[in-house]
């Protein structure tokens, strides 16, 4: 016997869930569930009959098992900072949202292996802090690190500022623990750098956006804490100059580059004007900026020398028109604030359309030129505000509504704008989702971009692991039809 | 209508294959096919009705499509240097072996992205050389690099000497091209550092040992060529001292360590005595050795200073009893020869049982101690000759037959020995196959080690992608039953 959909809302079911999840483990009142039913950008609104907050992997497993029995859709949610509606349920009200915030233990840190075993519900910031407390570093940094949790960053294979040196979330995870759609626990919590024993299930589940399993724990590879860090903000003419500066640093010492971020003049201006205490630390505004950070586990002033050597040459060559080096940790934080507040500033400037795209490094200048022209042609007064991880070929090509225009009307054009931008990305061999994922915002793009054999294989895998389709339905893979 | 097994050997089929593969593309004579039907170690012998050598991805795809129609098993083979019989067909004679040696083009090298697009049949050595010619480096190095090809190293997620710094084959592949079991071409040839658009199929196919698809091409991430390299051979007391030395280098400058290899005294002695021109360049033999290599893309003598600083301190502390630095490229090659010839020397010493295992770094000394005791207890006179990539926690815990004993009798105990060693590995949270894969040698271990939900999910994936089970049957996944 299998439960019907009406059974999903029976008192019996609610009581069974309450019994599994314990006091405070199940939220059913609208006021309690509301924060979990709208995404951070306010673009997607869903319904759920309840929100589950398991306090252990076992409780999570039992919850999913019950949902599987009743064929109740399960929507895993991390810090609810998805940019693509990846963690918001549909509006049927049949779903159970599962959040990991009560699973917030750092299980163990090993100082010989430099590994951290951790619950999925720990926020990225808390995990970074725990690593620092142990004299180590968790080298993943994203703007939402205060809310995003470990499960979320792994489910979406988050990237961020340090990918250029340490890779994405994928590269940092040695081990994984997950609950399968049938409620079984998949224990891949191995802390081995080499392990070729069967299919790379860990790799498959990382980046699967909650459509195959719920990640409940992980073992992360930590790095030695840098003993010296040098950070500089540079004024450059355009993306071409930024790329040349990147090449100059890479030629001098590639393994020292910890971050290499690009910011357009308009995007920086929005931060300077709309975010408190975020002034531009340069004499005058520039068409574009680079934030470069070098780091080394060795002490001494070698790194300062390297930074001054490369920037000195770049100033001489006219590649950089002005530059300022952080002289204290406070100043470094101030530089980083200018970068981290880009999304928030754009939010305050009105509605915006986001294109989280990547192209091969060499194609970045052409991409920015062509996409800027295309967007300006589409909507008069559109504010083109790209920024991002140029060292990885990853640009957040964001468009802010024209000043004083109707935000909703602008947003109604989002697919038109996205399609214009991504057509150019595609022409240049890029990706329509570099690091934010597909979620529900971009599922419609999958057939055109990843169709044919690729999408077929993805669907076969989805059906093989989640035959009833209960895991985060409607995300990533478009409906067949 | 589907072909019967007898149809597999009809003239019509052979002619169809010949027509697809062109002149020299299909080998059917026993003398021609023999080299492809026995593994490098001489442990596995199989049969095949023919060996196909497609010259293009399209020819490979058509060949597989024909096999799919006739339900003919397909055995992809790279350089045929699998340590686990991963590329040898079974003895039914029904299989078609597909080798990539005619697909040997470096398609393109991009000097801005530092990427290489390449056919699967290019040997690793040829790929390394092509990168060097372009002023770049392909940082994957294994003993069999002269024969192993790109398809093989990706299908097995090869590791080797530089994993400690650059990762396994998996970490070097940005893009992949493969032929699916139904003969369709899966084109994942993207050269993007960030691309979160659906399931990580590339990651799933890498390391799947030819059981899901045949890899026909790849895009590899290259690195700047080091301008300075320092290599030293050190005499140490045991694995514990080797690990302490690793920690000393890691604390000084982790990103400089390009290789950190361990060799037992016995294993080195076999090389010195059985391989021509491979003398020990130290005053006297030691119970164990470390080969450490530092590399940097910067010139100057900083690296030499770092090497001397760390080794000087280690000599002072008694951690290292003797050490010699390579004073020329020729001497560096001579040091590496001592390491690379370990497998060959052990082959010349008689039969051997290989355990390609990994444990967390901190557990290595305990593992070597306990496994040595266990093996000596099992077989009197057994020669314990471990070596390997200690910086990755990966030890080749190899056992050579007692001197003058019967090789076949020794080999008859291989499962007994492997089980004794791997029981300890398992106790320490390790893996029974760190980098060589499962092949046909170790399939029997899968249920005990990766059973339950993990093996179930693997089987679901296999069935979803290869429903007829024609891709490299009998490898990796044990028969259900």
């Amino acid at each position: 016997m299998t439960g019907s959909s009406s059974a999903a809302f029976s008192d019996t079911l609610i009581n069974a869930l309450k019994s599994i999840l314990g006091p405070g483990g199940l939220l059913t009142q609208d006021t309690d569930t509301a924060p979990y039913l709208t995404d951070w950008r306010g673009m997607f609104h869903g319904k759920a009959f309840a929100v589950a907050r398991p306090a252990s992997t076992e409780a999570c497993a039992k919850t999913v098992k019950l949902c599987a029995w009743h064929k109740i859709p399960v929507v895993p949610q991390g810090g609810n900072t998805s940019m693509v509606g990846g963690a918001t349920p549909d509006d049927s009200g049949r779903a159970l949202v599962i959040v990991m915030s009560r699973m917030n233990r750092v299980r163990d840190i090993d100082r010989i292996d430099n590994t951290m075993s951790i619950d999925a519900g720990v926020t990225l910031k808390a995990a970074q802090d725990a690593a620092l407390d142990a004299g180590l570093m968790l080298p993943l940094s994203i703007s939402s690190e205060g809310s995003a949790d470990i499960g979320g960053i792994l489910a979406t294979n988050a990237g961020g500022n340090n990918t250029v040196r340490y890779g994405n979330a994928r590269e940092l995870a040695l081990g994984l623990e997950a609950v399968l759609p049938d409620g079984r626990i998949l224990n891949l919590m191995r802390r081995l750098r080499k392990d070729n024993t069967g299919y790379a299930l860990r790799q498959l589940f990382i980046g699967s956006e909650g459509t195959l399993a719920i990640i409940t724990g992980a073992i992360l590879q930590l790095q030695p804490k840098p003993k010296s860090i040098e950070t500089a903000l540079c004024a450059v003419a355009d993306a071409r100059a930024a790329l040349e500066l990147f090449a100059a640093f890479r030629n001098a010492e590639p393994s020292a580059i910890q971050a290499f971020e690009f910011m357009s003049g308009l995007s920086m201006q929005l931060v300077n004007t709309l975010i408190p205490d975020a002034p531009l630390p340069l004499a005058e505004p520039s068409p574009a900026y680079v934030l470069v950070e070098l780091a080394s586990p060795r002490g001494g002033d070698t790194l300062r020398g390297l930074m001054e050597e490369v920037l000195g040459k770049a100033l001489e060559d006219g590649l950089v028109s002005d530059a300022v080096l952080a002289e204290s940790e406070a100043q470094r934080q101030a530089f980083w604030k200018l970068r981290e507040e880009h999304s928030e500033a754009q939010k305050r400037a009105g509605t915006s359309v986001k294109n989280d795209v990547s192209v091969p490094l060499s194609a970045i200048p052409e991409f920015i030129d062509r996409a800027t022209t295309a967007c300006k042609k589409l909507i008069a007064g559109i504010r083109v505000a790209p920024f991002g991880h140029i060292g990885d070929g990853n640009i957040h090509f964001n468009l802010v509504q024209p000043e004083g225009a109707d935000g909703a009307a602008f947003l109604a054009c989002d697919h038109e704008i996205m399609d214009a931008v991504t057509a150019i990305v595609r022409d240049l061999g890029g990706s329509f989702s570099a690091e934010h994922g597909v979620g529900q915002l971009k599922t419609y793009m999958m057939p055109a971009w990843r169709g044919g054999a690729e999408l077929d294989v993805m669907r076969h895998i989805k059906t093989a692991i989640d035959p009833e389709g209960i895991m985060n339905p409607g995300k990533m893979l478009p409906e067949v039809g």
Side-chain angles (χ1 to χ4, degrees), chain A:
Chain A
M1 192 199 84
T2 304
S4 70
S5 77
S6 67
F9 313 101
S10 72
D11 285 350
T12 322
L13 175 74
I14 295 285
N15 287 337
L17 284 171
K18 277 185 177 163
S19 148
I20 290 168
L21 294 160
L26 191 77
L27 311 177
T28 52
Q29 301 300 313
D30 288 355
T31 44
D32 294 332
T33 58
Y36 302 96
L37 303 179
T38 296
D39 74 316
W40 178 80
R41 294 175 66 189
M43 282 181 72
F44 297 98
H45 310 278
K47 290 179 187 158
F49 78 90
V51 173
R53 302 170 64 233
S56 70
T57 302
E58 291 68 31
C60 181
K62 283 181 186 167
T63 302
V64 173
K65 197 169 190 174
L66 198 63
C67 289
W69 174 256
H70 292 287
K71 298 190 181 172
I72 294 172
V74 163
V75 179
Q77 189 175 99
N80 197 17
T81 35
S82 171
M83 293 285 196
V84 290
T88 309
D90 65 19
D91 58 7
S92 71
R94 291 195 61 245
L96 178 69
V97 173
I98 301 189
V99 296
M100 292 288 143
S101 49
R102 292 210 300 168
M103 287 189 62
N104 55 6
R105 262 181 331 131
V106 173
R107 300 181 191 176
D108 174 56
I109 293 181
D110 184 312
R111 285 177 185 77
I112 295 180
D113 293 327
N114 286 359
T115 55
M116 168 188 273
S117 175
I118 193 164
D119 283 354
V122 180
T123 65
L124 177 54
K125 183 70 172 64
Q128 291 167 348
D129 289 345
L132 287 175
D133 287 347
L136 295 164
M137 174 176 63
L138 173 58
L140 189 88
S141 167
I142 56 179
S143 298
S144 57
E145 61 199 25
S147 51
D149 71 18
I150 297 298
I153 62 159
L154 289 171
T156 58
N157 186 30
N161 304 325
N162 301 139
T163 301
V164 67
R165 176 149 171 190
Y166 300 103
N168 279 18
R170 176 184 304 290
E171 275 82 35
L172 307 183
L174 292 179
L176 205 71
E177 182 189 79
V179 171
L180 294 169
D182 62 6
R184 285 192 295 177
I185 298 169
L186 186 67
N187 183 347
L188 311 172
M189 290 290 270
R190 306 194 270 269
R191 50 193 182 101
L192 304 170
R193 270 185 66 92
K194 287 186 177 174
D195 175 32
N196 284 342
T197 51
Y199 300 139
L201 299 187
R202 179 176 89 240
Q203 301 290 352
L204 179 64
F205 289 118
I206 293 173
S208 66
E209 300 189 23
T211 65
L212 296 178
I214 302 183
I215 294 170
T216 54
I219 292 179
L220 303 175
Q221 178 72 64
L222 306 178
Q223 295 292 332
K225 190 157 74 176
K227 289 201 190 81
S228 51
I229 295 183
E230 294 292 339
T231 311
L233 184 70
C234 313
V236 294
D238 52 23
R240 205 162 270 109
L243 263 194
E244 280 184 48
L245 186 62
F246 180 66
F249 276 104
R250 205 176 52 180
N251 289 338
E253 183 62 287
S255 69
I257 308 170
Q258 178 160 282
F260 198 91
E261 298 286 309
F262 173 81
M263 292 163 283
S264 62
L266 176 62
S267 194
M268 176 67 92
Q269 192 196 325
L270 294 177
V271 173
N272 300 149
T273 52
L274 300 175
I275 303 291
D277 303 321
L280 183 70
L282 295 166
E284 50 188 287
S286 168
Y289 304 88
V290 162
L291 182 63
V292 56
E293 186 159 279
L294 307 180
S296 163
R298 305 199 83 181
D301 55 2
T302 339
L303 218 53
R304 184 73 176 208
L306 180 66
M307 182 70 99
E308 285 171 350
E309 178 193 319
V310 176
L311 285 185
K313 177 87 171 46
L315 280 158
E316 235 170 71
D317 295 349
L319 201 58
V320 166
S321 59
D322 195 5
V324 53
L325 273 67
E327 297 294 346
S328 65
E329 177 59 22
Q331 204 178 1
R332 175 177 168 253
Q333 295 293 346
F335 288 6
W336 271 108
K337 182 178 177 183
L338 295 174
R339 168 63 186 83
E340 297 296 2
E341 294 288 354
H342 270 55
S343 288
E344 183 61 33
Q346 294 183 359
K347 201 176 178 183
R348 293 183 188 189
T351 57
S352 60
V353 175
K354 295 178 192 294
N355 294 281
D356 164 44
V357 300
S358 63
V359 291
L361 272 191
S362 45
I364 289 173
E366 182 183 343
F367 160 66
I368 291 183
D369 288 350
R370 285 172 61 185
T372 300
T373 306
C375 289
K376 286 188 168 168
K377 205 169 148 187
L378 216 55
I379 294 175
I382 196 168
R383 288 179 284 176
V384 181
F387 64 98
H389 320 293
I390 196 170
D392 304 315
N394 175 198
I395 297 291
H396 301 304
F397 196 84
N398 291 2
L399 294 312
V400 182
Q401 64 168 79
E403 237 163 322
D406 176 41
F410 180 71
L411 217 52
C413 303
D414 65 342
H415 278 205
E416 209 180 341
I417 296 170
M418 283 159 65
D419 291 349
V421 171
T422 53
I424 297 160
V425 171
R426 200 170 177 195
D427 190 41
L428 295 170
S431 168
F432 67 91
S433 171
E435 57 175 19
H436 293 168
V438 176
Q440 52 183 299
L441 178 63
K442 298 180 180 175
T443 42
Y444 82 94
M445 293 186 184
M446 287 291 282
W449 286 71
R450 303 289 177 248
E454 189 169 355
L455 192 52
D456 267 9
V457 173
M458 289 185 195
R459 283 188 163 130
H460 287 322
I461 291 171
K462 169 73 174 175
T463 306
I465 297 179
D466 180 23
E468 299 289 352
I470 68 164
M471 294 301 294
N472 212 7
K475 312 295 161 49
M476 183 188 280
L477 298 179
E479 303 287 328
V480 184

